[in-house]
């Protein structure tokens, strides 16, 4: 069958193309993609091309479909999987397969490495290794975009599970953040920072002191409106939003328990300044999680090894979440404990993907949500009322009725009424 897809041919070479999909094999699944949210990782892949670790070296001859935060429904199931999956099922995918049999080995992932599966496509063929690694996850939510946001939320969940702390007098490591401790997120008011705040407030292991820093007051104000300190207090959390332009490192450290530094510290923007500050903010046995991946392979920052030796400070880095993290994310959403709708600030159709992906660092706001069957420019949710036509009048009403956030009702109306590509 023919389908439309955004494919990467090389560095900054993205093309909207008509793609001929082959018939599925006995161990494959044919699916329709409905939504995909664009990630900064896709920008890195698109700008680096074959230099990216997950992109095949021969991408110029065998282009790959981009997009890895997607949700859709199954259309046809190969015989091998008919006892587990059926047509009509909605699904999300854990893209980090960790399978050495993929096109680029262990780093192979849908949206980076495959010619016939990626989120910025209308139809895809799901290869056997996705199911073999339990990475095709049924989704029971009432909106496709929530399934798309499960992948970025799983990255947040995985980071919190990856932090660890030592046990004095033994070599045992205790995994996870310190319950009732002090936690800070530096550069934490971007889209994944918002997801992290939501998770912290509603997961089963919470800090007592929580500090979120950022440099843009508008983003800080939006975060505070979505997750106010008063709500955090209901969960026993003392929450502070700090503009780091006007606050010293010493003042931030004073917000930890007894001013002794933070047990858990996450860096959500890959800058030397933030990593250096994080090092200075760590308390005894403090764990620094370098969450935001740099594009520069030589990125290096001085680190206080006196504290590593005498104060047991340490560093961990996470890139993505695993399947268990995805399942936890989907369950949190299904149970109504976490609502990542606040991550979405823009909507668009498949025709908006190329410009959006290649210029993502320059586009303000949070997640850019793509509906792959629609013909729609990238539009900020707070500018819906500036667009012509009854479609946007009603979308604006639905968004404002939901505290300015995207919603299942808005998605349903958009899918029913927006022009098709």
């Amino acid at each position: 069958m023919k389908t439309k897809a955004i494919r990467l041919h090389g560095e900054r070479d993205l093309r909207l193309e008509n793609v001929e999909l082959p018939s599925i094999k006995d161990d494959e699944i044919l699916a329709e993609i409905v939504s995909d949210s664009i990630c900064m990782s896709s920008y890195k892949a698109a700008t680096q091309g074959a230099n990216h670790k997950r992109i095949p070296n021969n991408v110029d001859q065998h282009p790959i479909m981009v997009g890895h935060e997607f949700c859709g429904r199954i259309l046809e199931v190969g015989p091998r999987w008919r006892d587990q999956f059926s047509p009509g099922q909605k699904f999300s995918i854990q893209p980090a397969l960790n399978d050495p049999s993929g096109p680029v080995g262990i780093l192979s992932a849908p949206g980076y490495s495959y010619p016939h599966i990626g989120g910025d496509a209308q139809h895809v063929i799901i290869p056997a290794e996705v199911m073999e690694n339990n990475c095709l996850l049924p989704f029971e939510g009432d909106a496709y975009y929530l399934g798309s946001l499960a992948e970025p939320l799983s990255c947040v969940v995985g980071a919190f599970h990856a932090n660890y702390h030592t046990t004095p007098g033994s070599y045992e490591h205790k995994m996870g953040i310190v319950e009732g401790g002090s936690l800070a997120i530096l550069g934490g008011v971007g889209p994944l920072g918002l997801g992290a705040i939501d998770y912290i407030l509603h997961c089963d292991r919470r800090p007592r002191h929580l500090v979120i820093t950022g440099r843009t007051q508008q983003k800080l104000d939006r975060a505070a409106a979505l997750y106010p300190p008063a709500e955090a207090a209901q969960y026993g959390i003392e929450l502070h939003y700090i503009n780091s332009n006007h606050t010293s490192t010493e003042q931030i450290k004073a917000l930890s328990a007894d001013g002794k530094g933070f047990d858990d510290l996450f860096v959500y923007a890959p800058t030397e300044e933030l990593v250096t500050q994080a090092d200075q903010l760590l308390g005894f046995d403090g764990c620094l999680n370098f969450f935001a991946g740099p594009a520069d392979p030589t990125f290096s920052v001085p680190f206080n090894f006196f504290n590593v030796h005498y104060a047991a400070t340490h560093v961990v880095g996470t890139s993505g979440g695993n399947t268990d993290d995805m399942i936890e994310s989907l369950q949190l959403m299904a149970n109504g404990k976490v609502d990542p709708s606040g991550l979405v600030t823009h909507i668009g159709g498949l025709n908006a993907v190329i410009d959006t992906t290649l210029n993502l660092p320059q586009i303000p706001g949070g997640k850019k949500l793509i509906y792959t069957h629609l013909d729609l420019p990238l539009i900020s949710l707070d500018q819906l009322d500036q667009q012509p036509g009854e479609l946007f009048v009603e979308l604006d009403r639905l968004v404002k009725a939901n505290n300015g956030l995207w919603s299942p009702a808005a998605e349903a109306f958009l899918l029913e009424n927006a022009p098709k590509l």
Side-chain angles (χ1 to χ4, degrees), residues 155-179:
C155 299
V156 169
V157 172
F160 279 80
H161 291 323
N163 266 32
Y164 70 93
H165 297 276
T166 59
T167 302
S170 81
Y171 299 109
E172 178 187 1
H173 286 171
K174 291 179 276 190
M175 301 305 299
I177 67 169
V178 173
E179 187 168 8

Side-chain angles (χ1 to χ4, degrees), residues 55-75:
I55 304 294
N57 290 331
N58 62 352
V59 68
D60 58 332
Q61 301 173 45
H62 300 282
I64 57 93
M65 291 181 178
V66 299
H68 60 276
E69 299 179 357
F70 55 95
C71 184
R73 64 186 183 93
I74 293 172
L75 299 179

Side-chain angles (χ1 to χ4, degrees), residues 141-225:
D142 55 356
Y144 288 97
Y145 78 91
L146 294 173
S148 286
L149 295 178
E151 195 283 331
L153 183 58
S154 77
C155 299
V156 169
V157 172
F160 279 80
H161 291 323
N163 266 32
Y164 70 93
H165 297 276
T166 59
T167 302
S170 81
Y171 299 109
E172 178 187 1
H173 286 171
K174 291 179 276 190
M175 301 305 299
I177 67 169
V178 173
E179 187 168 8
S182 297
L183 187 154
I185 303 178
L186 306 187
V189 288
L192 289 187
L194 296 178
I197 301 167
D198 193 7
Y199 180 70
I200 293 167
L201 266 57
H202 302 109
C203 69
D204 58 359
R205 182 186 290 193
R206 304 182 180 98
R208 175 69 183 89
H209 303 272
L210 176 60
V211 174
I212 310 296
T213 77
R215 292 192 173 280
T216 306
Q217 192 59 46
Q218 183 180 7
K219 290 184 178 181
L220 286 161
D221 292 342
R222 184 169 187 266

Side-chain angles (χ1 to χ4, degrees), residues 114-314:
Y114 291 88
H116 296 136
I117 181 171
D120 294 317
Q122 294 181 334
H123 302 89
V124 300
I125 294 176
I126 306 175
E129 51 261 44
V130 173
M131 285 72 76
E132 290 168 351
N133 289 282
N134 298 316
C135 291
L136 181 61
L137 305 175
F139 174 62
E140 306 297 336
D142 55 356
Y144 288 97
Y145 78 91
L146 294 173
S148 286
L149 295 178
E151 195 283 331
L153 183 58
S154 77
C155 299
V156 169
V157 172
F160 279 80
H161 291 323
N163 266 32
Y164 70 93
H165 297 276
T166 59
T167 302
S170 81
Y171 299 109
E172 178 187 1
H173 286 171
K174 291 179 276 190
M175 301 305 299
I177 67 169
V178 173
E179 187 168 8
S182 297
L183 187 154
I185 303 178
L186 306 187
V189 288
L192 289 187
L194 296 178
I197 301 167
D198 193 7
Y199 180 70
I200 293 167
L201 266 57
H202 302 109
C203 69
D204 58 359
R205 182 186 290 193
R206 304 182 180 98
R208 175 69 183 89
H209 303 272
L210 176 60
V211 174
I212 310 296
T213 77
R215 292 192 173 280
T216 306
Q217 192 59 46
Q218 183 180 7
K219 290 184 178 181
L220 286 161
D221 292 342
R222 184 169 187 266
L226 292 172
Y227 311 108
E231 179 188 356
Q234 296 175 9
Y235 298 104
I237 301 173
E238 184 180 303
L239 171 58
H240 299 272
Y241 292 99
I242 300 298
N243 189 319
S244 52
N245 289 322
H246 313 302
T247 311
S248 69
T249 300
E250 292 74 19
Q251 289 172 314
I252 295 173
K253 191 172 185 177
L255 298 173
S256 63
D258 299 323
K260 294 182 178 179
F262 292 89
D263 303 298
D264 297 281
L265 210 149
F266 295 80
V267 175
Y268 267 50
T271 70
E272 293 183 18
E273 180 182 2
L274 285 187
V275 177
T276 300
Q277 184 180 54
D279 180 19
Q280 296 168 356
L281 289 169
L282 289 170
F284 184 84
D285 192 36
C287 185
L288 191 166
N289 188 305
F290 185 52
F291 181 86
D296 179 5
T298 66
F299 182 88
S300 302
V301 179
F303 199 77
N304 188 326
F305 277 85
F306 181 91
N307 286 340
V308 170
H309 187 84
Y310 290 106
T313 60
H314 47 276

